Structures are given as C-alpha cells and as structure tokens.
Amino acid sequence: MAAPAGLDWAWAQNTCGKLTTAQRIALMWVMLGMMPDLVVDVVRARTGHHGPAQLELAHARLPDTALAQAAEREARTVLSPAMLEHSYRSYWFARVLAAVDGADYDDELAYVSCLLHNLTLEHPSAGCCFAVTSARRAVEIALAVGETPERAQDLAAAIAGHMSFGVSADLSDPTGFVAAGTLLDTFGIRLSEFDPVWVRELLLLHPRMGFERTVVAALRAESAAVPAGRTAWLMSWGFALLVGASGFPE
C-alpha cells in the first residue's frame, strides 16, 4: 500500500514535518491496511517460521565514495553506539529485501541515507521532526564533499520521507529502502523472510546493544518535542509496544 500523497521533501521543509488532521487520517488508513500483514509477519517470526533470505556478509562490499566516507564519519561522531549499529543493520536488512523484491536501487544513496536517517533523533529540536533536521544536515554533508544540489536533495528526500507509512513498499526508491530497513530492525516487519542463522551473523557484526531501550526513549523525547509530528502520531498508536515485540534478542 502506497504512502499518502504530499508527504514529500517539499512538505517536510515547509511544515517541519507537522501533520494536518487530514494527513493523520490518510496515514491511519495506510497503517490499517498494512496491519494484518505486519501482525502475521511478527507472529511467524516469533513462532519460528523463517524464509531463506540472506547475503554473504564476508564478501559483501559497502560504498566507498567520498559521500559514503563523510556519512560514516558523521554517523560515528554523532550517533550513540546502539543507534549507529541500528543504522548499519537497517542498510543490510534493506539490501537483502531489495534482492528478494528484485528492486534496482542506488547503493550509495541507499547506504548514506541509512547511515544518516536518525542523525538528530537523540537530540530532538522543539517543533521540527528529527527526519527533517537529519535531512538538512545530510544536505550540508553532501554539498561539502562536492555532490550536486540535486543529489543532495535526493538524499534529503529519502531521509525526510522514511517516516511515512507506505513508502517501504518500493525499495527501488531510496526512501522506501530506508523505510523498509528501519521498519524491519525496529519492529521486525518482514523478519520472517530471513534465514535466522544469517540474522544471528548480522547481529554479531552489528550488535543491538540495548537498541530497543535506546530507540523507545528517543522516540518518546521526539514525540514530546514535536507533538504534531509523525513520531508522536506513531507513538499514540502504541508503537513502543511493537518495538519490544520485534522478535530480536537483546
């Protein structure tokens, strides 16, 4: 199910990510449409039903461009260890899902977007969604290493848009790539498609380090700082409970 129209980067810049009543209702319908599959997937994962999805981590390569290197430096400087490892896991999970879905994606943009998507979540700004402030910082980073304004805006759009329900359906879009990876790592959505041995291997490479506690605390602080934002809307539906039911070992 696609995300509601209009929740794009232009909207994010103009509103700082604040939702109108009509947008909340539109997101609600998308969420309700996704909920049956979400519940079935979480139950399958928790009851030991798993698919074969994986990739060979030992031989997989990460983007090594100037932009990727700058994003890595920023993420390692700003993010807490738990949030940093979440960013890496989100990328790897989404990379496997893209292969499962047959999605053709921009690997550099996908990787950098995953690294920077939560850049300011642990340091909320009153009245402005963390996805928007993170996107603005990402633009600065991209321009500083010589990326074109158009490329920087594509990066910002992926980060600012990942919080909208429905975008994860299309992993060929960087926004959908980030959303799919973060939804899986935070809520366990589509975890049942993965080989559990491979998941354990990934968790050894990028451990969770109390991620559930870290992210719930951050989401609650963000909700208080931006009560009209998407995070507060999600938390009002009890999504903190879904974090705890994700199926990942701590």
Side-chain angles (χ1 to χ4, degrees):
M1 182 173 291
L7 299 181
D8 55 13
W9 178 221
W11 162 80
Q13 292 182 91
N14 291 333
T15 67
C16 245
K18 299 185 186 73
L19 296 167
T20 65
T21 299
Q23 287 167 335
R24 289 189 186 92
I25 293 171
L27 281 172
M28 178 192 70
W29 284 113
V30 174
M31 181 191 69
L32 291 175
M34 295 172 61
M35 195 59 66
D37 288 339
L38 185 158
V39 171
V40 168
D41 188 78
V42 170
V43 170
R44 284 179 59 83
R46 292 295 293 246
T47 55
H49 293 81
H50 296 282
Q54 61 170 297
L55 61 77
E56 181 55 64
L57 289 170
H59 302 293
R61 293 291 177 265
L62 294 170
D64 193 30
T65 62
L67 177 58
Q69 293 173 13
E72 288 170 355
R73 288 193 296 271
E74 183 77 6
R76 291 182 179 277
T77 299
V78 174
L79 298 175
S80 68
M83 203 64 75
L84 176 66
E85 299 296 353
H86 159 70
S87 299
Y88 281 111
R89 290 192 307 272
S90 296
Y91 167 76
W92 287 116
F93 278 131
R95 184 163 160 175
V96 176
L97 288 177
V100 170
D101 292 356
D104 184 15
Y105 62 95
D106 182 322
D107 196 32
E108 180 194 47
L109 204 57
Y111 178 58
V112 172
S113 299
C114 284
L115 284 181
L116 302 181
H117 77 280
N118 275 351
L119 204 55
T120 63
L121 176 58
E122 296 174 284
H123 311 282
S125 299
C128 195
C129 173
F130 80 92
V132 179
T133 55
S134 295
R136 289 172 176 166
R137 177 58 185 145
V139 168
E140 295 173 352
I141 294 167
L143 295 177
V145 297
E147 294 293 337
T148 65
E150 293 76 17
R151 184 74 168 171
Q153 293 299 309
D154 288 342
L155 173 60
I159 294 171
H162 86 275
M163 283 293 291
S164 296
F165 261 108
V167 297
S168 61
D170 181 10
L171 277 84
S172 63
D173 186 312
T175 309
F177 189 101
V178 179
T182 57
L183 283 171
L184 197 160
D185 195 60
T186 305
F187 302 117
I189 297 173
R190 298 188 69 177
L191 181 60
S192 67
E193 299 178 38
F194 283 74
D195 180 342
V197 174
W198 183 85
V199 172
R200 288 195 292 272
E201 181 184 353
L202 179 64
L203 295 184
L204 287 175
L205 183 64
H206 296 292
R208 293 187 75 77
M209 304 177 70
F211 171 67
E212 278 77 4
R213 294 186 297 275
T214 299
V215 75
V216 168
L219 292 173
R220 285 174 174 158
E222 167 73 14
S223 299
V226 194
R230 288 167 292 180
T231 301
W233 179 82
L234 285 171
M235 295 296 277
S236 73
W237 285 86
F239 269 68
L241 298 175
L242 271 182
V243 176
S246 62
F248 289 104
E250 273 292 292

